Amino acid sequence: MKNLFLLSVSMVALVLSTACQNPQAGKTQQAEQTPQTEQSRYYHWICQQGEHQGAEVVFVRINNVFRGEYADPGFQERIPIMGVIDDDGTVTAVSALLRREGDIAGKLNGKITGDNFNAIWLPTPTGMEMSDFREMELVLNTADEQKNCQLPAPTEAPFSDKPYGYTIGEWEMKLIHVALGTNDEVTFHIHIEASGIDDVVIDMQGAAQLNGNTFRYTENGYEFEIAAYNGFITLKTISGDWNGYKADGVYPEIPVDEDEMP
């Protein structure tokens, strides 16, 4: 799937180059801006007992997005993560990319309820050398002060001309490419392949009106919003689905050069 991933990146770039020259290549829709008004907040979650004692999740959050680190108690290296938290406290996050091919170290999912974070860290086959599978009960460390945090906050950013996404072995590939046109119009290409209980293949192209760092798009009853931040983009379903699938999640920016890897 890695060869397919790199091939898809090239194909998307070619498609978007054509689309930018022809603004009528896709459907154009008006976006609604979600203002970023909340100040950044620092959180430090730690597993204080049990077999995973010492596991940590720290992040800086603004509105529903965050950047941070996951620390596995069995390994010394701290893994950069980025994610989103919905209104019910459900957390969806992925690690930063390991290589230009789009490999990630793992996924972090869970639910925050008050000062408790029920979390699952699921390493990818590539990331197993950095961490193990963990199902953890984390507690908010309220004694930690934000002034000690050196993590970068998620900030609104313009869309990069680089692709966004990741791969997980032969089982999952997510790729989004956005190109700026004229009059704040963007053209985009989403390509998703996932295998499991239900095989999923999505290939969608369109155009929309950019509003700040976000745009919205609707096709076949599926409406979603894409927003750009420093080093990643997020996709949030507004309504409907694409043949039963929702593409929600976080998509790290894929560097062009190995020297740009974190």
Side-chain angles (χ1 to χ4, degrees), residues 62-240:
I62 294 181
N63 294 321
N64 69 322
V65 299
F66 66 84
R67 292 179 66 112
E69 294 177 337
Y70 165 67
D72 191 296
F75 298 83
Q76 293 184 346
E77 187 169 356
R78 303 177 75 89
I79 303 173
I81 57 174
M82 56 202 75
V84 294
I85 306 172
D86 70 12
D87 294 337
D88 295 324
T90 300
V91 176
T92 304
V94 299
S95 79
L97 297 176
L98 297 176
R99 282 181 284 275
R100 188 169 64 90
E101 287 84 353
D103 292 318
I104 59 174
K107 291 183 174 183
L108 178 73
N109 299 299
K111 182 72 174 289
I112 294 175
T113 305
D115 290 345
N116 297 311
F117 182 10
N118 297 320
I120 294 177
W121 173 257
L122 181 64
T124 63
T126 305
M128 287 297 292
E129 60 191 33
M130 301 171 62
S131 60
D132 291 331
F133 173 84
R134 308 284 187 190
E135 188 169 359
M136 307 163 288
E137 293 279 346
L138 304 167
V139 178
L140 185 64
N141 182 5
T142 56
D144 216 358
E145 296 184 9
Q146 182 165 348
K147 68 180 181 181
N148 296 325
C149 176
Q150 302 298 319
L151 297 171
T155 56
E156 295 181 356
F159 285 94
S160 168
D161 61 356
K162 302 172 185 176
Y164 300 84
Y166 59 86
T167 62
I168 299 179
E170 300 295 326
W171 302 278
E172 185 176 3
M173 177 182 71
K174 290 189 173 184
L175 177 67
I176 298 178
H177 202 146
V178 179
L180 296 177
T182 58
N183 299 320
D184 290 328
E185 183 180 271
V186 296
T187 54
F188 67 90
H189 185 180
I190 299 176
H191 187 85
I192 296 175
E193 293 186 30
S195 59
I197 298 176
D198 298 312
D199 290 336
V200 174
V201 177
I202 294 176
D203 196 82
M204 179 190 300
Q205 301 177 38
Q209 192 67 32
L210 184 65
N211 193 336
N213 73 317
T214 69
F215 66 87
R216 287 192 179 186
Y217 183 79
T218 305
E219 185 171 333
N220 296 330
Y222 182 35
E223 182 181 10
F224 56 86
E225 180 179 85
I226 293 180
Y229 297 90
N230 49 335
F232 65 98
I233 63 174
T234 63
L235 189 152
K236 177 183 178 181
T237 296
I238 305 301
S239 62

Side-chain angles (χ1 to χ4, degrees), residues 33 38 56 157 249:
Q33 174 77 0
E38 185 178 327
E56 296 179 76

Side-chain angles (χ1 to χ4, degrees), residues 24-83:
Q24 303 302 319
K27 302 176 183 178
T28 304
Q29 300 183 20
Q30 180 69 37
E32 295 182 17
Q33 174 77 0
T34 301
Q36 181 174 305
T37 58
E38 185 178 327
Q39 297 297 314
S40 63
R41 299 182 63 187
Y42 170 71
Y43 295 84
H44 179 193
W45 308 89
I46 185 168
C47 185
Q48 298 179 339
Q49 57 186 354
E51 60 179 322
H52 304 318
Q53 183 175 357
E56 296 179 76
V57 174
V58 294
F59 59 72
V60 179
R61 174 181 177 179
I62 294 181
N63 294 321
N64 69 322
V65 299
F66 66 84
R67 292 179 66 112
E69 294 177 337
Y70 165 67
D72 191 296
F75 298 83
Q76 293 184 346
E77 187 169 356
R78 303 177 75 89
I79 303 173
I81 57 174
M82 56 202 75

